[in-house]
Amino acid sequence: MQTEFEDLIRAKLIHYFGACDDVSAEKVDVVITFKRTVEVRKRPVSIAGRIFARAHGRDTGASTGDGIALLDGDITSGGSNANWTSVVESGAKFRVNGLYARLVTEFENKPDQFDIELLTDIEEFNPLIKFLPDLSDECLIKECAKRGIQIP
């Protein structure tokens, strides 16, 4: 491969797949909120190599890709039978785990389309998690039984 094309190829790999040959790159967890509805015809809604909504037909609904959780809002499918769409509704909020830190700019450079929040500490995201180590196994087992959750 000619060296003058290496940077261009790396940039394209990062843009479309979220990674390149630099597997040691820093990863971060973020919360991303869509400010606009995004519809993509016959493909997933994919940004920075991450899938935010993947439909398979007009009436199939949609799912997120690996490492992404929908926290608030809606993702769905739409369009027609022949030209179905994957849809992320305005206001949809996602937690994205393991996003390459250098890809944060893909979202920061579009402030009219996205809000992005870096999660520097898991307790900042969910303050209740810090109390879990204080609970005994017995207490957790009783709570599971109370909720009808079976423990293998």
Side-chain angles (χ1 to χ4, degrees):
M1 173 170 46
Q2 296 178 357
T3 57
E4 63 264 19
F5 295 115
E6 285 182 16
D7 289 340
L8 177 63
I9 291 169
R10 278 194 183 98
K12 292 290 184 189
L13 286 170
I14 289 168
H15 177 75
Y16 289 106
F17 300 106
C20 65
D21 60 342
D22 183 8
V23 293
S24 65
E26 178 189 3
K27 294 180 182 179
V28 295
D29 296 339
V30 297
V31 172
I32 296 172
T33 304
F34 281 62
K35 292 182 173 182
R36 298 180 181 173
T37 297
V38 176
E39 293 185 29
V40 178
R41 192 176 73 147
K42 291 188 167 184
R43 291 178 311 156
V45 174
S46 178
I47 302 164
R50 305 303 292 270
I51 296 173
F52 290 87
R54 177 190 291 129
H56 298 285
R58 179 186 72 182
D59 300 317
T60 63
S63 59
T64 60
D66 292 339
I68 296 183
L70 179 64
L71 301 176
D72 194 18
D74 291 312
I75 60 174
T76 190
S77 58
S80 66
N81 283 332
N83 292 303
W84 53 268
T85 58
S86 299
V87 182
V88 175
E89 298 288 346
S90 177
K93 186 176 193 176
F94 300 87
R95 169 143 184 182
V96 181
N97 291 333
L99 181 69
Y100 284 99
R102 64 178 157 222
L103 295 180
V104 168
T105 58
E106 291 274 330
F107 299 96
E108 289 176 333
N109 289 339
K110 300 172 185 166
D112 59 323
Q113 296 176 31
F114 307 104
D115 278 332
I116 185 163
E117 174 188 355
L118 238 64
L119 299 177
T120 55
D121 186 355
I122 195 158
E123 290 180 8
E124 175 185 322
F125 184 71
N126 187 350
L128 296 178
I129 290 175
K130 68 181 178 183
F131 297 112
L132 287 179
D134 298 335
L135 298 175
S136 68
D137 289 346
E138 181 181 326
C139 182
L140 290 171
I141 291 169
K142 284 181 184 178
E143 185 63 27
C144 288
K146 184 171 95 178
R147 295 175 185 236
I149 300 170
Q150 297 204 356
I151 301 171

